């Protein structure tokens, strides 16, 4: 995993550090390291070798950055032996990287404590990517395509690039590699998130990422920071999240440093005047770069909480000085004095930051309060904007009418317009009330509609309604008939009364007929009453049948709903079983994949180890070839020169050297030391030739088997020839020379 996301600067430094530590006599031997750690070291060295051969790497730039005093990658430990504490930290981080998933689940607290102590610079790139889950993002594949597109923010980005880390070696040169990759990342993000586009301050965060990793990885990390670390809300055009941070930070000052808060209020020194850049750039523009980077390590692990803590710690440490200054003095103090206080390192301020009280629940409550306040402000702004629009229109109307009307009517007309305005506002208020009532009714109807049955039940209800309406029509028809009968009976009754009015004057016979008519009328009345009762009974029966049918339908619908719910429960149970089975299968496949991955990783590591061994053998062969080359040069020299003459020349050179040594001793007054007694010449030859001996008048003796064209070897001077040993090659003998020195002869092996 370390080699997967390694970067030019981090890998080079890591490999250099590991090589220095392993070559140091005081460092731990490879046998004391675990196999995983040894493999990790091998990977880092392999990546370093690849970077050295990569023409597109940033190694040359990193070399200049390591010479910069403000650079993150400048570290004395990279070029010297690591201490035991640094070695332990390096090994621990290597284990954490190799076992990242288990560490995040089981050792999260230990990881946080380790991050607070600082991430080693050669692990920073990979750990940042792991902390924000930026490995293997799909958007990484789109990066090259995004660079081919045109962004509307390109001019703004070009303008601000020169202002980003203007003193840093990587970015200070115009059109340098650093400025180019910074422009690429900012342009790509402005195309991905067109709502945010480009915002000043974000380039400092991207620049810090580019100091640690290549531009593709830096782009992925920046995307995750914007999405998951609230930075996107901070950089939106409205900057609503920045206002929330200022509101929360000001509350912390008021609660924990009340005297300083009162002083700020008295001097009209708003929180945004000094703290906005802290949140927008995570202290990158306010603090020295090494200090800001340590804080950024914690930000990657814990989020914006560290910005609140460090900000409060800075105010606590400088409260006494700030209380004595006015607004301009405080601005100068924040810009010039506080950064120099941190030159000694970030440990003091980080330790003070974790002594600050930070209540996450209180922060959530403050966020809700701020949202409520902003909502009310937005409503008031909308109302003010509407009133301003009305006021502008009325003024335009007044101006127009004043131009047309006689001046003596203007005051009356203005009063009339004011009355109209009052009436218009009253109507507007009534309209608002009516609108609110209608909205409430709509909500009520939506709730009722949500509780209505489904389409099938609606069809059945419509059928029931049709049946009820038919029965109602029948009842109305019967009622009309009864009413007609009642009217007929009333007419008969009136006629009957008219006939019976003079019945006492008529004869008995007519009286009997009248009585019969009365009885007939009575019978008809009783018949009408009976029919009315019959109709009423039928109507009652119809109502009962309708209620029975409705109740039956309701019961049937309830049964259907119960069956439907049972079916859903059964389906969900089956789905749950299937999901559980799929989960088990997925776990099994995941375990198999992990086993395969481990096997592949081990195979890759073994291949890398073989490659390293092969490289070492090749380097050894190269060294031998270079030695043979040098020997060939000496052989060629000896082949082209007479051996005796060559030996005499060497003797002359030795005599000159001795003379110079004696002169130097005489000038410096040094005690007499053993002088050079001769020459140690090792000559190798290949082949069995006739032996021969040669001597000269000076006593030089040659006794090897030697041919002029086969002599090869090297010549060395020995201060004390008696202590030197002859060097024999596997395929040749040694040549002995006797050279006089200080009146005596000594044998020199050649």
């Amino acid at each position: 995993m370390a080699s997967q996301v390694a970067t030019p600067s981090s890998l080079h430094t890591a490999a250099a550090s590991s090589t220095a530590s392993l070559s140091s006599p005081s460092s731990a031997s490879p046998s004391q390291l675990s196999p995983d750690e040894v493999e990790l070291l091998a990977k880092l060295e392999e990546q370093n070798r690849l970077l050295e051969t990569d023409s597109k790497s940033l190694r040359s730039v990193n070399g200049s950055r390591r010479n910069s005093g403000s650079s993150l990658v400048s570290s004395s430990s990279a070029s010297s032996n690591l201490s035991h504490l640094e070695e332990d930290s390096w090994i621990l981080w290597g284990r954490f990287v190799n076992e990242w998933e288990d560490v995040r689940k089981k050792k999260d607290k230990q990881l946080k404590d380790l991050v607070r102590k600082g991430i080693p610079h050669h692990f920073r790139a990979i750990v940042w990517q792991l902390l924000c889950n930026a490995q293997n993002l799909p958007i990484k594949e789109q990066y090259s395509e995004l660079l081919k597109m045109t962004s509307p923010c390109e001019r703004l980005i070009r303008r601000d690039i020169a202002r980003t880390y203007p003193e840093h070696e990587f970015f200070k040169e115009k059109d340098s590699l650093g400025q180019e990759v910074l422009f690429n990342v900012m342009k790509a993000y402005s195309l991905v998130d067109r709502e945010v586009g480009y915002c000043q301050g974000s380039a400092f965060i991207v620049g810090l990422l580019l100091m640690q990793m290549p531009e593709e990885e830096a782009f992925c990390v920046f995307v995750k920071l914007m999405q998951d670390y609230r930075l996107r809300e901070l950089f939106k055009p409205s900057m609503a999240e920045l206002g929330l941070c200022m509101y929360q930070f000001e509350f912390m000052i008021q609660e924990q440093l009340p005297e300083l808060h009162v002083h700020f209020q008295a001097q009209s020194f708003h929180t945004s005047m000094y703290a906005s850049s802290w949140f927008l750039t995570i202290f990158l523009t306010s603090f020295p770069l090494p200090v800001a980077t340590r804080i950024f390590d914690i930000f990657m692990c814990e989020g914006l909480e560290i910005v609140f803590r460090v900000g409060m710690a800075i105010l606590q440490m400088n409260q006494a000085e700030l209380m004595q200054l006015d607004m301009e003095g405080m601005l100068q103090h924040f810009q010039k004095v506080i950064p120099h206080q941190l030159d000694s390192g970030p440990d003091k301020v980080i330790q003070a930051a974790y002594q600050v009280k930070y209540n996450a629940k209180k922060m959530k409550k403050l966020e809700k309060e701020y949202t409520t306040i902003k909502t009310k402000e937005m409503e008031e702004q909308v109302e003010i904007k509407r009133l301003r629009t009305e006021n502008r229109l009325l003024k335009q109307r007044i101006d127009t009418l004043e131009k047309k009307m006689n001046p003596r009517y203007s005051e009356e007309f203005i009063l009339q317009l004011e009355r109209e305005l009052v009436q218009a506002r009253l109507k507007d208020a009534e309209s608002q009330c009516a609108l609110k009532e209608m909205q409430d009714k709509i909500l009520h109807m939506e709730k009722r509609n949500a509780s209505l049955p489904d389409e099938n039940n609606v069809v059945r209800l419509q059928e029931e309604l049709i049946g009820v309406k038919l029965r109602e029509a029948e009842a109305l028809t019967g009622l009309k008939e009864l009413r007609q009968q009642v009217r007929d009976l009333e007419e008969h009754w009136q006629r009957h009364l008219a006939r019976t009015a003079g019945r006492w004057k008529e004869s008995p016979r007519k009286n009997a007929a009248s009585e019969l008519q009365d009885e007939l009328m009575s019978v008809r009345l009783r018949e009408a009453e009976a029919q009315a009762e019959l109709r009423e009974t039928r109507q009652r029966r119809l109502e009962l049948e309708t209620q029975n049918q409705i109740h039956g339908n309701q019961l049937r619908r309830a049964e259907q709903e119960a069956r439907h719910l049972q079916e859903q429960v059964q389906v969900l149970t089956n789905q749950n079983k299937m999901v559980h089975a799929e989960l088990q299968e997925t776990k099994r496949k995941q375990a198999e994949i992990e086993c395969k991955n481990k096997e592949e990783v081990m195979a890759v590591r073994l291949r890398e180890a073989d490659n390293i061994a092969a490289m070492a053998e090749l380097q050894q062969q190269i060294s031998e070839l270079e030695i043979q080359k040098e020997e060939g040069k000496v052989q060629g020299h000896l082949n082209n020169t007479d051996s005796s003459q060559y030996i005499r020349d060497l003797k002359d050179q030795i005599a000159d050297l001795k003379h110079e040594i004696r002169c130097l001793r005489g000038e410096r007054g040094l005690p007499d030391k053993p002088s050079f007694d001769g020459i140690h010449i090792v000559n190798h030859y290949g082949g069995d030739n006739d032996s021969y001996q040669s001597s000269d008048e000076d006593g030089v003796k040659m006794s090897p088997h030697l041919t002029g064209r086969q002599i090869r070897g090297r010549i060395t001077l020995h201060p004390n020839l008696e202590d030197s040993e002859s060097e024999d090659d596997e395929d040749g003998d040694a040549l002995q020379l006797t050279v006089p020195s200080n009146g005596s002869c000594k044998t020199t092996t050649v």
Side-chain angles (χ1 to χ4, degrees), residues 547-584:
Q547 291 180 359
N548 188 20
Q549 188 174 2
I550 291 172
H551 291 158
N553 291 335
Q554 290 178 350
L555 181 61
R556 187 168 58 255
R557 287 195 296 272
E559 291 176 353
Q560 290 178 355
E561 290 179 358
R563 286 196 298 272
H564 182 65
L565 290 174
Q566 289 178 355
E567 291 175 357
Q568 288 183 346
V569 169
Q570 186 66 27
V571 170
L572 291 174
T573 303
N574 295 334
Q575 290 179 353
N576 190 15
K577 291 181 180 178
M578 293 174 63
V579 169
H580 185 68
E582 291 178 357
L583 179 61
Q584 295 296 329

Side-chain angles (χ1 to χ4, degrees), residues 145-146 148-154 186-199 226 232 235-237:
E145 298 297 328
L146 291 171
K148 300 176 183 178
M149 301 169 64
T150 302
S151 172
C153 304
E154 289 185 9
M186 299 307 302
K187 171 187 171 182
Y189 185 80
S190 68
L191 292 169
V192 171
D193 190 354
R194 294 185 180 271
E195 181 182 0
V196 174
Y198 167 74
C199 181
M226 296 292 283
R232 185 176 185 273
F235 290 117
K236 275 186 176 180

Side-chain angles (χ1 to χ4, degrees), residues 678-690:
I679 309 171
H680 183 194
I681 305 175
V682 178
N683 293 280
H684 302 280
Y685 69 95
D688 294 333
N689 297 295
D690 294 333

Side-chain angles (χ1 to χ4, degrees), residues 53-218:
T53 59
D54 187 5
S55 60
K56 297 182 180 179
S57 69
L58 302 179
R59 185 181 177 187
S60 60
V61 179
N62 291 335
S64 62
R65 280 192 281 168
R66 282 192 295 270
N67 295 330
S68 173
S70 60
S71 174
L72 283 176
V73 295
S74 60
S75 174
S76 60
S77 61
S79 59
S80 62
N81 295 332
L82 296 173
S83 65
H84 291 291
L85 183 60
E86 290 172 332
E87 289 178 9
D88 294 340
S89 175
W90 201 90
I91 294 171
L92 183 59
W93 274 108
R95 290 176 181 172
F96 275 22
V97 169
N98 286 330
E99 303 170 357
W100 184 258
E101 297 296 332
D102 293 335
V103 169
R104 290 293 281 178
K105 293 178 181 178
K106 301 178 182 178
K107 300 180 180 179
D108 190 62
K109 186 177 184 303
Q110 185 180 0
L111 176 63
K112 286 184 178 180
D113 294 338
L114 201 59
V115 170
R116 290 173 184 176
K117 295 177 182 178
I119 302 174
H121 60 86
H122 42 272
F123 277 100
R124 186 164 280 135
I126 182 175
V127 173
W128 281 3
Q129 295 181 59
L130 292 172
L131 284 171
C132 65
N133 296 322
Q135 325 93 289
N136 302 324
L137 283 183
I139 200 171
K140 183 178 180 180
E141 306 298 330
Q142 306 174 13
Y143 182 76
S144 58
E145 298 297 328
L146 291 171
L147 296 182
K148 300 176 183 178
M149 301 169 64
T150 302
S151 172
C153 304
E154 289 185 9
R155 290 184 62 188
L156 294 175
I157 298 172
R158 287 288 187 192
R159 182 193 66 188
D160 291 337
I161 278 182
R163 307 175 188 174
T164 304
Y165 299 112
E167 299 179 359
H168 199 282
E169 292 291 333
F170 190 38
F171 299 100
K172 70 178 183 180
E173 295 293 334
K174 185 178 181 181
D175 298 330
S176 62
L177 178 60
Q179 291 192 2
E180 191 62 27
V181 295
L182 179 58
F183 172 80
N184 290 342
V185 176
M186 299 307 302
K187 171 187 171 182
Y189 185 80
S190 68
L191 292 169
V192 171
D193 190 354
R194 294 185 180 271
E195 181 182 0
V196 174
Y198 167 74
C199 181
Q200 288 182 341
S202 59
F204 287 91
I205 297 176
V206 175
L208 179 63
L209 297 177
L210 289 172
M211 295 179 198
Q212 310 297 329
M213 61 191 75
E215 55 184 299
E216 292 87 357
E217 284 79 4

